[in-house]
Amino acid sequence: MRTVSLLLLFCLLSAQAFAQAAYRRVKARNGDGVETLLLRHGLSPGRYGAAFKQLNKKNLTRRHGLITGRTYLLPRPVATRKATVGGSRKNGVKTARVATAAPVVISKTPISNAALFGPRYNLARAGRGPLRGAVFYLSSGHGGPDPGAIGQYGSFQLAEDEYAYDVTVRLARVLLSYGALVYVMVQDPNDGIRDENVLPMDYDEVQYPQLRIPLSQVQRLRQRIAQVNKLYARHKGAYQRLLALHVDSRSVGQNIDVFFYHHPNSATGLRLAKNIHRVFTSRYKRAQPNRPYSGNVSERGTLYEVRNSHAPAVFMELGNIRNQKDQRRFVVADNRQALANWIAEGIIADYRGKQ
């Protein structure tokens, strides 16, 4: 009898070990949340989030957060049958017409998410989450003929527009996964989200909706905000926000934290800036407890995007592209993703607390 009991126990333990082995194991990167980890591995947070938390409940923080470097189990994808929505007859045989997910429309001419985010980070459809009903306009600095600030990184040059754009499309992807409608005001379908340290410069970005970007800064900003304001009128009554992401170019010896600017007469812009800033302050305390965070929120009504956008706006300076310490914030892909994740957290807090 004892032998039988031991055998049954061994079989049970073996079955549990086999079940664990059957799950795919992945490591959490710096700045990862449950949603971004699932998205990176092709799983919908809305569909697999609860299963992920159940599988990994012993390895999550008290607030269901991830621990950088720790290994997590991914839920097994569930195969689904495609629904038929009609059909036609060919040679007397009825053929089914299959329903497919439409691409998220983030420009006047719908472009596939594979083009905007790249094949590695393709997102099939917007998620159902805490930002449903919200509309965002994401404006990355410069683009087209103007690369913006340039930093020297060894023998390579780092262009502001490439790194601001990469953080922007990462942010767009996160916001879409939370159910928001997102307009990416500068688009480069050839790039997508990139994980390389050095992002090569190019000049083929276009302005929404598929417009050539002028060299003149004034014309470029006028063109961009005109499109934002047209869209703002189209979505009248919705929660709408403009986020402009830039990279600073101060002296080489000056490293800076992330700064947030709003219009002095915009209470909603101020509130959004404070909510995002609060997240950054908290995350810096956790990631670098011995380093004070000096980034702040301030008024800057002279900024064209802040002054002329009908949507409440927050203008962000993400760091100094010319400073060696700040360059790590940009050249490490996980850090760029962390920036996007933290901005999204602040946005969610702002949306939940809207009046």
Side-chain angles (χ1 to χ4, degrees), residues 260-325:
F260 308 90
Y261 303 105
H262 65 93
H263 194 278
N265 297 329
S266 175
T268 49
L270 170 61
R271 188 187 66 197
L272 175 58
K274 284 186 172 180
N275 275 313
I276 302 174
H277 176 261
R278 195 172 294 119
V279 172
F280 272 74
T281 303
S282 171
R283 294 297 177 268
Y284 263 85
K285 283 183 179 178
R286 183 188 304 174
Q288 302 182 52
N290 298 320
R291 175 189 180 279
Y293 174 69
S294 62
N296 60 30
V297 175
S298 59
E299 298 176 356
R300 190 67 70 84
T302 57
L303 295 169
Y304 188 94
E305 290 173 289
V306 169
R307 187 176 73 249
N308 293 285
S309 170
H310 293 173
V314 174
F315 186 105
M316 287 172 267
E317 291 284 7
L318 302 178
N320 185 356
I321 197 72
R322 299 176 63 194
N323 179 267
Q324 188 174 12
K325 290 182 180 178

Side-chain angles (χ1 to χ4, degrees), residues 191-209:
D191 285 344
I193 294 174
R194 294 170 285 177
D195 287 333
E196 295 79 12
N197 291 350
V198 176
L199 304 181
M201 277 186 275
D202 61 25
Y203 306 94
D204 60 350
E205 294 90 358
V206 295
Q207 168 67 53
Y208 172 94

Side-chain angles (χ1 to χ4, degrees), residues 133-199:
V135 182
F136 297 98
Y137 310 102
L138 304 186
S139 173
S140 56
H142 305 274
D146 179 13
I150 302 293
Q152 197 66 35
Y153 182 70
S155 60
F156 299 99
Q157 288 188 321
L158 308 181
E160 171 182 1
D161 70 329
E162 301 297 338
Y163 289 90
Y165 180 76
D166 192 72
V167 176
T168 298
V169 288
R170 288 173 185 271
L171 175 60
R173 188 171 180 270
V174 175
L175 295 179
L176 283 168
S177 76
Y178 286 128
L181 175 61
V182 182
Y183 290 91
V184 180
M185 304 312 296
V186 176
Q187 300 179 359
D188 189 336
N190 297 326
D191 285 344
I193 294 174
R194 294 170 285 177
D195 287 333
E196 295 79 12
N197 291 350
V198 176
L199 304 181

Side-chain angles (χ1 to χ4, degrees), residues 29-295:
R29 299 178 180 176
N30 181 33
D32 267 346
V34 172
E35 292 82 4
T36 51
L37 182 71
L38 290 172
L39 285 169
R40 188 165 65 249
H41 295 283
L43 298 175
S44 164
R47 188 171 188 181
Y48 294 99
F52 178 90
K53 291 174 183 177
Q54 182 63 31
L55 275 173
N56 299 283
K57 57 185 178 182
K58 293 182 179 179
N59 286 321
L60 299 174
T61 66
R62 290 174 59 186
R63 296 186 177 183
H64 304 292
L66 305 183
I67 299 172
T68 302
R70 185 162 292 185
T71 299
Y72 293 92
L73 302 177
L74 291 179
R76 285 190 284 266
V78 178
T80 56
R81 294 183 62 187
K82 294 181 178 179
T84 59
V85 293
S88 59
R89 288 187 177 273
K90 185 176 182 179
N91 298 328
V93 179
K94 187 174 183 179
T95 59
R97 182 163 54 90
V98 179
T100 57
V104 179
V105 178
I106 37 190
S107 73
K108 189 173 182 180
T109 304
I111 65 173
S112 69
N113 294 311
L116 187 71
F117 300 123
R120 291 183 59 194
Y121 287 91
N122 182 30
L123 180 66
R125 65 176 72 190
R128 295 176 177 269
L131 291 176
R132 290 192 72 187
V135 182
F136 297 98
Y137 310 102
L138 304 186
S139 173
S140 56
H142 305 274
D146 179 13
I150 302 293
Q152 197 66 35
Y153 182 70
S155 60
F156 299 99
Q157 288 188 321
L158 308 181
E160 171 182 1
D161 70 329
E162 301 297 338
Y163 289 90
Y165 180 76
D166 192 72
V167 176
T168 298
V169 288
R170 288 173 185 271
L171 175 60
R173 188 171 180 270
V174 175
L175 295 179
L176 283 168
S177 76
Y178 286 128
L181 175 61
V182 182
Y183 290 91
V184 180
M185 304 312 296
V186 176
Q187 300 179 359
D188 189 336
N190 297 326
D191 285 344
I193 294 174
R194 294 170 285 177
D195 287 333
E196 295 79 12
N197 291 350
V198 176
L199 304 181
M201 277 186 275
D202 61 25
Y203 306 94
D204 60 350
E205 294 90 358
V206 295
Q207 168 67 53
Y208 172 94
Q210 306 300 313
L211 301 174
R212 184 182 65 83
I213 297 177
L215 177 60
S216 164
Q217 181 185 23
V218 173
Q219 291 179 17
R220 180 169 62 245
L221 294 176
R222 186 177 295 158
Q223 178 192 69
R224 191 169 305 178
I225 295 304
Q227 297 301 324
V228 169
N229 290 342
K230 285 181 183 178
L231 293 166
Y232 181 81
R234 181 189 304 175
H235 298 289
K236 185 177 180 180
Y239 172 102
Q240 302 185 61
R241 299 293 185 268
L242 166 68
L243 294 107
L245 280 64
H246 289 251
V247 178
D248 213 329
S249 59
R250 306 187 187 189
S251 66
V252 175
Q254 186 176 9
N255 65 304
I256 64 171
D257 287 322
V258 181
F259 285 81
F260 308 90
Y261 303 105
H262 65 93
H263 194 278
N265 297 329
S266 175
T268 49
L270 170 61
R271 188 187 66 197
L272 175 58
K274 284 186 172 180
N275 275 313
I276 302 174
H277 176 261
R278 195 172 294 119
V279 172
F280 272 74
T281 303
S282 171
R283 294 297 177 268
Y284 263 85
K285 283 183 179 178
R286 183 188 304 174
Q288 302 182 52
N290 298 320
R291 175 189 180 279
Y293 174 69
S294 62

